[in-house]
Amino acid sequence: MRETHKGSCLCGRVRFEARGELRGVVYCHCSQCRKQSGHFYAATNVENDAISISGEENVSWYEASAFARRGFCRNCGSALFWKHRDLDHISVMAGAFEEPTSLRGACHIFVADKGDYYAIEDHLPQYEKSGGGVVVTVNETPGD
């Protein structure tokens, strides 16, 4: 039987169910993630065909760039998703899952853009831009 992970936004109008193993949590320190969330993003990935979203009519999508959009609940404002136009998975905010999640940190990306008000004090790999197999921009490959 495949693992099932459930989650929702703060108000519960958007709920999702992810099937299968989740990728380790990637912490993104880019300015867009910090501005949208107030800190840095912590997200995992789910294959497009392995996630079901109920209450999709309550998800607003913000076109953050030419290659990606960010999904949030239009009622409570919870940041929930980050979706690259050309990839077959969706990033889901780790904090939106019900516990226990079994999630663990994997790496930090865009650390060159991190806020000046905090330090990264764990021992996870850190990448100036993308890295660790995470593709963010259209000109990157998984090895960048």
Side-chain angles (χ1 to χ4, degrees):
M1 176 152 184
R2 292 177 72 180
E3 295 178 67
T4 300
H5 309 273
K6 295 181 180 183
S8 69
C9 64
L10 182 61
C11 71
R13 289 190 181 176
V14 179
R15 297 189 177 281
F16 58 87
E17 184 173 292
R19 296 166 304 283
E21 187 176 346
L22 300 173
R23 181 200 68 197
V25 175
V26 172
Y27 304 102
C28 184
H29 300 270
C30 79
S31 61
Q32 283 191 4
C33 286
R34 289 187 297 107
K35 286 181 184 255
Q36 187 182 37
S37 70
H39 200 35
F40 53 85
Y41 260 21
T44 186
N45 274 358
V46 177
E47 296 296 319
N48 289 342
D49 61 358
I51 189 167
S52 302
I53 301 170
S54 61
E56 269 189 275
E57 68 277 7
N58 295 301
V59 177
S60 287
W61 289 95
Y62 172 67
E63 300 289 329
S65 67
F67 57 86
R69 59 191 184 142
R70 295 165 180 271
F72 60 94
C73 175
R74 68 178 60 185
N75 185 60
C76 67
S78 294
L80 297 168
F81 310 114
W82 184 92
K83 179 72 178 118
H84 193 291
R85 289 188 190 282
D86 300 326
L87 301 179
D88 60 358
H89 59 266
I90 186 168
S91 292
V92 181
M93 300 310 112
F97 285 95
E98 295 172 5
E99 294 183 352
T101 66
S102 301
L103 290 169
R104 299 288 177 261
C107 66
H108 296 269
I109 60 174
F110 291 94
V111 297
D113 201 23
K114 78 169 215 40
D116 63 357
Y117 59 92
Y118 64 94
I120 300 171
E121 297 180 337
D122 59 36
H123 299 292
L124 296 175
Q126 296 182 27
Y127 300 96
E128 185 176 327
K129 294 184 180 180
S130 286
V134 178
V135 176
V136 177
T137 65
V138 291
N139 297 324
E140 291 179 301
T141 59
D144 285 352

